[in-house]
Amino acid sequence: MSEIAVNRSVLETTLSGAFERRSNFGAHGWSIILIEAALLWISSGSVVHGLNIILPALTATYSLDNTRLLALATPASWASILAGLVGAWVCAHMGPKFLILLSLTGGGIAFGLLGTWGSTTGFFILFSIVCFFDTCLAYIGGPTLVTSWFPRKKGLAFGWATMGQTFSTATYVPYVAFCFATFGIQRGFWGITFLMAVMAVVVWRFAADTPEALGCAPDNMPMSPEEIDRSRRDQEAFVDPITVRQLLGMRDVWFMGLAFGGLYIIIVGLLSQFVARLIAMGYPLNTAILYMSIAAIIGVPGAYMWGWLSQKLGVKACAMLYLGWYAVALAINIFELNTVTMWISLVMIGEALGGATNLSMSIVAEKFPRGAFVKAWGVVNPIQSIVRCCAFAILAFGLTYLGGFRGAYSILLGIALISMFLLWLIDTTPVRTTAMT
């Protein structure tokens, strides 16, 4: 190869890398990212953060047992596992836009009715429906849109989109509290339904299953109308030849599910006990909650940081760095916290809040690009969810039998190291089939 050819190859590689780290998504592309950000805001708030105010409100209004409702919330959330399978099937056959619109409708109605069906049975049924549809819209349909629009810039796109998830930690509960104070408990739940109805109109008006359907190029790359039209025809003709049975037989699929399932155990363990950890240090409850809100605000730009790093380093290397980051945060928490180490840990946890969702999706999209993503994600996501459901049992074991926080965090540190090893074993070389790229 001549020196000129070598230099040209190096230049093209450099320009390609720089292109993939630029947020030039185009007007339509930005609309897709903002849609997914809003969907993540709604979903993560409705099934996680919102319980902080939803359960006390239902308890006070209908004289229900708060502990009983909290206990029922866990099996109700298992509907998210089923959503990964069913949502992926609907998405593959009807398209992500259809799935999102269907889920906004079903999830919105179920959430609104939470304030009117005043029984534990009613809460369990309705919250199960909310968990099912909210998972479908934000964690199946939305990611499929993003990976279809940005096959090369997926990490960066998810970096921006997951800001919505992180921002939800600090803003969802105040919004619901405002709705309850303004409209009462029975009608206040419909405040989220209203936002979901607005999102349905936005998705119907501005979203498309592929960029080619709107005359745009994937990743907003320079392409002629003829090239875009050819790409559109290829995507419409694409039929994923990989079966669920074949996916379940791939070690990389299992490693992705187990590694990121382990990561979610770590996140749940840290976040669910951080307020209790601060209270044990002598901080009052309101101060501890305030510090967690500060962590959430810190995490908003952190979501973009991990997206940028995944484009810069590659998603596998970035994911291993991310787990290493959490391992350090855990190591700090194993020992007695003081003011300095507490704030170091707080900043580290906050900066990492948005990275897990981004990286867990991006690594699947790296291995299974564009049209193949939804079927693969429909297998990997339930594996992650099943592993994540073990979080509270593992945490309770450590707190009860291994000396409290030190023992619990030591288990989580071990899980972090195992997850890093599983990530190291993953081969992210894309599975090549027709019309994937």
Side-chain angles (χ1 to χ4, degrees), residues 392-408:
F392 290 114
I394 292 173
L395 197 62
F397 177 83
L399 290 171
T400 304
Y401 298 107
L402 298 179
F405 287 112
R406 284 189 177 183

Side-chain angles (χ1 to χ4, degrees), residues 189-274:
F189 280 89
W190 294 99
I192 294 295
T193 304
F194 169 76
L195 294 184
M196 297 176 80
V198 172
M199 282 307 304
V201 174
V202 171
V203 171
W204 174 77
R205 174 64 180 83
F206 295 103
D209 290 340
T210 64
E212 293 91 340
L214 295 180
C216 302
D219 296 303
N220 196 35
M221 294 179 64
M223 292 177 66
S224 68
E226 292 76 15
E227 291 173 321
I228 293 175
D229 186 60
R230 189 184 309 116
S231 178
R232 177 188 59 79
R233 292 196 302 270
D234 288 343
Q235 289 300 312
E236 290 174 351
F238 173 68
V239 176
D240 186 6
I242 301 176
T243 65
V244 172
R245 182 186 294 271
Q246 288 174 320
L247 288 166
L248 289 172
M250 295 181 180
R251 72 167 200 167
D252 291 327
V253 167
W254 284 98
F255 288 164
M256 290 173 184
L258 294 174
F260 282 95
L263 172 58
Y264 282 117
I265 288 177
I266 295 165
I267 294 173
V268 170
L270 278 173
L271 292 182
S272 66
Q273 293 301 306
F274 201 84

